[in-house]
Amino acid sequence: MGENFWTLILDGVQDFEEDQISLFLFENGASGVQENLVFEQKDRKYLPQVVEQSVKQLMAYFEQLPAEGFIENLQSLYPNIQVHWQENPIKDWLSEWKAQWQPFALVTDFWVVPDWHKDSFDLKERKAIFIEPGMAFGTGTHETTQIASELIVQAVQQVSIRSALDVGTGSGILTLLMGLLGVQTLAAYDNDEFSENVFFENLQKNNVSAQWLPCWSKDFAGKTDLLVANIIDGVLIELKPEFQKVRSPYLIFTGILQEREAGFLEDMITHWDLKIIQRLQKGEWVGFFMEDPKHSQGKDS
């Protein structure tokens, strides 16, 4: 490959033409073809759905320009489409991506440190959470992770937290923070297929021990001092019956859009006598540190 590659953008592709046009593009040297999908969100679950369209946009990638007459042949076969070329410089994307990931302060004196900065990071007055940014969600840059981190620190400072369950752990960054804060017994779960391996790799980097739960609602038995769930608000509501079974005196919920805060609180607190200890907002996101008095006072169900 040379110093550039080319993108051919095709507008006005009819649904029934997509497969034929894609085959034509591959036959003329395209190394990849993709459809630009359109998404919409119809409900509180924050799960986008693909909008089916009869007219589509395709993008085809070429390592070198096709032979002369390619565009003319394409448009003679499919006169309804509009096409234009876009030239792109080839870059060392991995090096550029790594260069963008610098250590940054997460909460108090804890810093998130990409693994490739491990040897150069000064630990004299700072504590490091070493991670490999990549496939699993949770690198500390998103407001919801920052909210959860601040609430975790407050929880550890205000009440006795000896055990914790992290639901939707992603990279494990919140579990790591709790372990480094001295929480002794940790358990975590995520339904992302990439999370488990990333989770254990990050545990090893930080010398933290935790249990991975293949199915937390079935595999987690007993009570924990703190339940942390950094998930989208609609999913939090769906998991409410499972959260109640954990019998945790303290809970942290983040991933709630401010515009849906009132509805979330109504749904979560109805028939569950939770007390809000702390509300924290960053940008459009809100999180809560809550207490379940039924369990925090030594009672049990």
Side-chain angles (χ1 to χ4, degrees):
M1 187 183 294
E3 297 181 354
N4 298 302
F5 70 96
W6 288 265
T7 303
L8 181 64
I9 301 173
L10 303 89
D11 290 301
V13 177
Q14 301 291 322
D15 185 58
F16 66 88
E17 297 174 324
E18 183 176 358
D19 290 342
Q20 297 172 337
I21 291 176
S22 296
L23 179 60
F24 179 86
L25 294 169
F26 280 119
E27 289 176 342
N28 283 272
S31 56
V33 179
Q34 73 175 45
E35 175 190 344
N36 276 351
L37 298 175
V38 177
F39 297 90
E40 65 178 353
Q41 178 189 338
K42 294 183 178 179
D43 56 35
R44 298 182 62 233
K45 297 179 183 179
Y46 203 69
L47 299 175
Q49 304 294 322
V50 176
V51 179
E52 295 295 334
Q53 294 183 305
S54 59
V55 180
K56 304 178 179 182
Q57 182 186 77
L58 300 183
M59 300 180 69
Y61 304 97
F62 292 82
E63 297 181 13
Q64 58 184 15
L65 288 172
E68 187 176 349
F70 162 74
I71 293 295
E72 290 78 5
N73 290 336
L74 176 62
Q75 292 193 307
S76 67
L77 293 170
Y78 307 99
N80 57 292
I81 65 172
Q82 301 83 47
V83 300
H84 67 273
W85 286 104
Q86 179 178 303
E87 188 173 0
N88 308 278
I90 293 174
K91 300 179 180 180
D92 185 345
W93 295 109
L94 179 59
S95 296
E96 291 202 6
W97 178 72
K98 284 189 172 184
Q100 294 176 2
W101 278 102
Q102 298 296 320
F104 63 92
L106 176 64
V107 61
T108 61
D109 55 348
F110 283 94
W111 284 58
V112 175
V113 182
D115 198 45
W116 49 87
H117 289 285
K118 189 171 185 177
D119 295 334
S120 60
F121 186 74
D122 185 0
L123 291 169
K124 290 181 181 179
E125 298 181 357
R126 300 177 293 183
K127 299 174 183 178
I129 301 175
F130 296 109
I131 65 169
E132 178 80 32
M135 300 299 290
F137 175 80
T139 56
T141 59
H142 198 275
E143 288 97 334
T144 60
T145 309
Q146 295 167 9
I147 290 170
S149 299
E150 291 191 28
L151 294 177
I152 285 169
V153 169
Q154 291 185 31
V156 170
Q157 291 174 345
Q158 294 177 28
V159 296
S160 176
I161 304 295
R162 293 164 296 180
S163 60
L165 168 63
D166 180 9
V167 179
T169 192
S171 67
I173 190 168
L174 298 178
T175 298
L176 295 171
L177 175 62
M178 291 188 284
L180 295 172
L181 283 167
V183 179
Q184 300 169 359
T185 304
L186 296 165
Y189 165 81
D190 201 293
N191 61 2
D192 181 348
E193 62 178 309
F194 297 106
S195 286
E196 184 175 1
N197 289 337
V198 175
F199 176 80
F200 281 113
E201 289 173 4
N202 287 334
L203 288 180
Q204 186 175 20
K205 295 178 196 299
N206 293 274
N207 196 29
V208 171
S209 297
Q211 178 188 7
W212 177 268
L213 303 174
C215 181
W216 76 275
S217 59
K218 294 181 180 179
D219 299 333
F220 186 80
K223 183 177 179 180
T224 189
D225 295 327
L226 178 65
L227 186 152
V228 178
N230 179 23
I231 317 174
I232 293 300
D233 51 77
V235 178
L236 290 173
I237 296 302
E238 284 189 347
L239 293 176
K240 174 182 172 180
E242 306 303 329
F243 292 148
Q244 290 176 299
K245 294 177 184 177
V246 174
R247 298 176 292 133
S248 176
Y250 299 102
L251 310 99
I252 291 173
F253 295 128
T254 59
I256 304 134
L257 281 169
Q258 192 273 331
E259 66 186 36
R260 298 207 286 261
E261 177 181 358
F264 167 80
L265 289 175
E266 180 181 358
D267 290 343
M268 186 61 79
I269 294 178
T270 297
H271 305 304
W272 191 6
D273 187 22
L274 296 179
K275 173 186 174 183
I276 298 174
I277 300 175
Q278 176 71 31
R279 174 192 182 275
L280 187 60
Q281 180 171 353
K282 290 182 181 292
E284 61 181 345
W285 298 96
V286 178
F288 295 95
F289 174 31
M290 295 181 170
E291 178 184 8
D292 185 345
K294 182 178 180 180
H295 298 307
S296 64
Q297 295 173 0
K299 300 178 181 179
D300 211 340
S301 53

